[in-house]
Amino acid sequence: MQGPGAATPWQDSGVIVERIGAYVADPGAGAFEELALEAFAFQYERIEAYRRLCRRLGAVPGEVATWREVPAVPALAFKSMELAAAAAIETFRSSGTTGRSPSVHRHPYPELYRRVIDATFPPACLGSLRRPPMLSLIPSREQAPDSSLSFMADHLLATQGAEDSAVAIGPRGVDARRARAFLAARQRDQRPTVLLATSFALADLLDALERLDLRFRLPSGSVAFETGGYKGRHRELGRAAVLERLHVFLDLPADRVVREYGMTELTSHFYTRALEGGDPGLFVPPPWVRVRVLDPETLAEAPPGKMGLIAVFDLANVGSALHLLTEDLGIAEADGFRLAGRAAGAELRGCSLTVEELRTAP
């Protein structure tokens, strides 16, 4: 236990982490480019494998002029390498897929993660709601202690949800009985609610309601937060079918469904702007994040409208990899990006080569 006045890991991490935290809370508190270059120098100094890669590429602090020139780290590297600018306070692991190793994100700055959640979730998913009852179909931290999504859901329930919020998921999936009781209570008391769910869990809930021939009318103003996709299910659903079933079984209109894109390897999240009347397929970055789409083979920036690998520069990822090259395909637009699926092995060749460079750079 720390004594009175002892420095916390947050304070020990240097001025740049504090400044990024202030920028997340108030994007007018600094200049993005300046913070990006300072954060790059911070990671260069503290992460040996990354420093070796930067030297090999001739990209070193003082010579890199813009965030675009900061070398990107493939998300693949988190499966086999330790990338951390300080000792981890939280360790997050991806669920992974059959036959593949999980990504491991050793996160030194969970307080910064909380600031990100506080700055992005309420405007995207709550609108005018204040401490609404929340039904979470995301495992709690007790159930999944190394899940970054569970970290997020627990924080939201504690800070944004009403006292009678509930978690309705267990070892076998959605707890349909508990979910039904919660939904029935909201139908009776007419308090707008927020549903937190992965795409899989949402589909399971709707399947259960369909089997039981149950329909609920959620109060006006209710919102569904949905993250993830349906790929790999024995019965994959199109987007239109999901929205139709939400309307049928929960009386939730399409313009109250907010989609979220996040990754174990990232700290920040992207949301669609459904509550503001925005395009339901466009993911919008927060002010401290920049997004590019890169050609999978050359890793050069793709022309507008051309599909490629999504690369994210996330100031809040100062503890691990500011510039992350994902395994997701997308198309960039002026205000954000559209997802276009997962990259195949051949499309990840450039990522694999960069991971090898991280391992072998002198």
Side-chain angles (χ1 to χ4, degrees):
M1 181 178 294
Q2 294 177 326
T8 65
W10 170 260
Q11 294 167 333
D12 286 342
S13 300
V15 174
I16 182 60
V17 183
E18 288 283 6
R19 290 180 61 201
I20 290 171
Y23 189 77
V24 166
D26 176 12
F32 177 88
E33 194 74 78
E34 178 184 349
L35 284 173
L37 296 181
E38 288 185 35
F40 167 54
F42 178 80
Q43 289 195 338
Y44 180 92
E45 188 78 26
R46 291 182 172 232
I47 304 176
E48 182 180 356
Y50 185 58
R51 180 168 63 251
R52 293 198 307 265
L53 173 67
C54 293
R55 285 176 176 169
R56 171 178 280 189
L57 297 176
V60 299
E63 297 181 16
V64 168
T66 174
W67 66 269
R68 282 183 164 83
E69 298 174 8
V70 172
V73 173
L76 284 168
F78 282 79
K79 299 180 184 295
S80 59
M81 304 184 68
E82 182 171 337
L83 299 165
I89 305 301
E90 297 283 353
T91 299
F92 301 123
R93 290 177 174 82
S94 66
S95 56
T97 55
T98 303
R100 300 188 67 186
S101 301
S103 287
V104 181
H105 190 174
R106 296 168 176 85
H107 209 300
Y109 312 124
E111 181 58 32
L112 182 56
Y113 192 8
R114 294 185 183 96
R115 291 195 191 190
V116 164
I117 297 167
D118 292 342
T120 54
F121 180 87
C125 300
L126 295 184
S128 61
L129 299 179
R130 294 295 177 266
R131 302 293 302 240
M134 293 184 177
L135 175 64
S136 177
L137 304 183
I138 296 167
S140 68
R141 291 218 72 197
E142 184 177 355
Q143 296 168 311
D146 57 358
S147 165
S148 59
L149 182 59
S150 294
F151 179 98
M152 176 184 183
D154 272 23
H155 180 71
L156 289 172
L157 291 170
T159 62
Q160 304 291 341
E163 290 186 1
D164 54 350
S165 295
V167 177
I169 196 162
R172 298 183 180 180
V174 172
D175 184 337
R177 179 178 297 180
R178 183 165 186 146
R180 295 198 313 267
F182 180 93
L183 295 170
R186 300 294 75 77
Q187 184 169 274
R188 288 193 302 271
D189 64 24
Q190 285 298 293
R191 293 160 62 205
T193 190
V194 174
L195 176 62
L196 307 174
T198 64
S199 300
F200 281 0
L202 186 59
D204 286 344
L205 173 64
L206 294 172
D207 284 347
L209 296 180
E210 186 172 14
R211 284 194 304 270
L212 297 167
D213 195 25
L214 285 175
R215 289 166 173 76
F216 294 96
R217 296 182 63 85
L218 287 181
S220 176
S222 294
V223 178
F225 158 99
E226 180 196 1
T227 186
Y230 297 94
K231 187 175 180 180
R233 289 185 64 90
H234 66 281
R235 180 170 65 90
E236 293 186 16
L237 297 173
R239 187 74 197 150
V242 173
L243 294 176
E244 181 181 355
R245 296 179 82 215
L246 279 169
H247 184 69
V248 168
F249 293 104
L250 296 177
D251 197 30
L252 197 67
D255 60 4
R256 302 299 293 180
V257 181
V258 179
R259 298 171 66 194
E260 184 258 9
Y261 172 80
M263 297 175 58
T264 298
E265 302 89 347
L266 283 174
T267 299
S268 295
H269 316 101
F270 304 82
Y271 295 91
T272 58
R273 299 302 185 189
L275 303 191
E276 302 168 14
D279 189 318
L282 189 68
F283 292 93
V284 180
W288 56 89
V289 173
R290 300 291 184 271
V291 176
R292 295 187 297 158
V293 170
L294 308 183
D295 182 279
E297 292 192 3
T298 66
L299 300 186
E301 193 157 351
K306 185 174 180 180
M307 185 171 65
L309 289 171
I310 296 171
V312 178
F313 193 100
D314 179 10
L315 281 178
N317 233 32
V318 64
S320 54
L322 286 163
H323 205 171
L324 187 78
L325 183 59
T326 77
E327 299 175 55
D328 293 316
L329 295 170
I331 299 171
E333 295 192 9
D335 296 326
F337 64 92
R338 297 180 188 278
L339 286 175
R342 196 76 163 168
E347 293 167 316
L348 294 173
R349 184 173 60 180
C351 299
S352 299
L353 291 174
T354 305
V355 172
E356 191 60 31
E357 287 183 319
L358 272 167
R359 291 198 187 100
T360 61

